[in-house]
Amino acid sequence: MDNRKAVFAGIDGQSLAGRLELPAGDITATAVFAHCFTCGKDSVAATRISRELAARGVAVLRFDFTGLGQSGGDFANTTFTSNVDDLVCAASHLRDTIGAPSVLIGHSLGGAAVLAAARQVPEVRAVVTIGAPADTAHVQHLIGSSTAEIEQHGVAEVQLAGRPFRISNHFLTDIKEQNQAACIAGLNRALLVMHSPQDDLVGVDNARTIFDAARHPKSFISLDGADHLLTDRADAAYVAEVLAAWASRYL
């Protein structure tokens, strides 16, 4: 397989950094992978799933959202809406290089983002969520007691997964204003919902809400025994294998 550096412009001109995982042989499909909240393109799930998919003929672009990893911009200025914009820019980059993505894959909040972005990428035929929240406001519980400080001062530093991030009140307002139910109901693409019953960060009830709101064709796969971040290599391989087989019907 071939792993290439990818750099492209975000909607405000900031430089977004990515990695393009290419199959050794023929490309059967192209995909964009959206990572989890405050994670990055090099997270365990993003890296392992993308490489496993490339081994199965799917070219995958994984990238850092604005203000994270090697991408430019200030994370404090980002919102869920700006993440969706980043996704659309990533799809445009693929369209201009190896071909527009036919699949959007999102992990955790990235899953919510691909549901919202799909309507802006006409070539997409299939959408996959992994451990995704049904409501974008779900992530506010991660911010917890810092919410009051953010609302008072407009921005505050919050510890997430042991790292400091500056979160703005604009971010909090934006996640509350999203209408994910409408995005899911109007998806008009094949949908695969993957979720672990043991997910202690985003409960599996979120998967039911997403699945019930979506129209057919739709499928659900239980990632029994997996944790939210898919830290076990076998879980990532299973996700990629099932995902590739499922998506082949729509490509």
Side-chain angles (χ1 to χ4, degrees):
M1 295 181 293
D2 186 6
N3 180 304
R4 300 180 185 176
K5 182 178 180 180
V7 179
F8 54 96
I11 197 164
D12 293 323
Q14 73 277 26
S15 176
L16 298 180
R19 301 297 301 184
L20 182 59
E21 304 284 353
L22 291 170
D26 294 337
I27 296 175
T28 59
T30 58
V32 174
F33 190 104
H35 62 72
C36 53
F37 182 52
T38 69
C39 297
K41 69 179 185 304
D42 298 319
S43 68
V44 171
T47 302
R48 290 178 177 172
I49 293 173
S50 296
R51 289 176 177 173
E52 292 285 352
L53 285 171
R56 292 163 173 79
V58 181
V60 184
L61 173 62
R62 51 187 170 94
F63 71 99
D64 294 321
F65 283 115
T66 297
L68 293 172
Q70 297 172 311
S71 287
D74 185 350
F75 183 77
N77 295 329
T78 66
T79 62
F80 178 79
T81 297
S82 72
N83 286 347
V84 173
D85 290 338
D86 286 350
L87 260 168
V88 175
C89 289
S92 296
H93 175 71
L94 278 182
R95 184 183 296 112
D96 295 339
T97 52
I98 65 171
S102 48
V103 185
L104 296 182
I105 307 163
H107 181 209
S108 196
L109 190 62
V114 297
L115 290 169
R119 58 186 172 181
Q120 300 184 54
V121 188
E123 299 90 347
V124 168
R125 298 184 181 182
V127 175
V128 182
T129 65
I130 306 167
D135 183 354
T136 52
H138 181 275
V139 299
Q140 188 165 341
H141 83 279
L142 298 175
I143 299 168
S145 60
S146 298
T147 299
E149 183 181 357
I150 295 171
E151 293 174 341
Q152 180 180 356
H153 299 289
V155 64
E157 187 172 281
V158 180
Q159 292 289 326
L160 298 171
R163 294 183 295 158
F165 293 92
R166 285 171 57 79
I167 306 290
S168 72
N169 193 44
H170 188 35
F171 175 87
L172 296 182
T173 301
D174 186 70
I175 58 175
K176 294 175 184 176
E177 292 178 344
Q178 302 301 317
N179 190 346
Q180 280 298 99
C183 290
I184 298 166
L187 189 61
N188 199 29
R189 273 95 170 166
L191 173 65
L192 174 60
V193 179
M194 310 183 87
H195 214 114
S196 169
Q198 292 82 26
D199 192 326
D200 58 2
L201 192 62
V202 180
V204 72
D205 285 347
N206 285 270
R208 175 178 287 279
T209 301
I210 294 171
F211 188 84
D212 288 347
R215 298 173 180 172
H216 286 289
K218 57 183 178 179
S219 303
F220 172 75
I221 294 294
S222 175
L223 304 178
D224 192 25
D227 59 32
H228 180 72
L229 294 177
L230 301 179
T231 52
D232 189 321
R233 184 181 297 273
D235 291 328
Y238 176 74
V239 167
E241 184 175 4
V242 173
L243 195 164
W246 173 86
S248 65
R249 179 174 292 272
Y250 305 103
L251 305 179

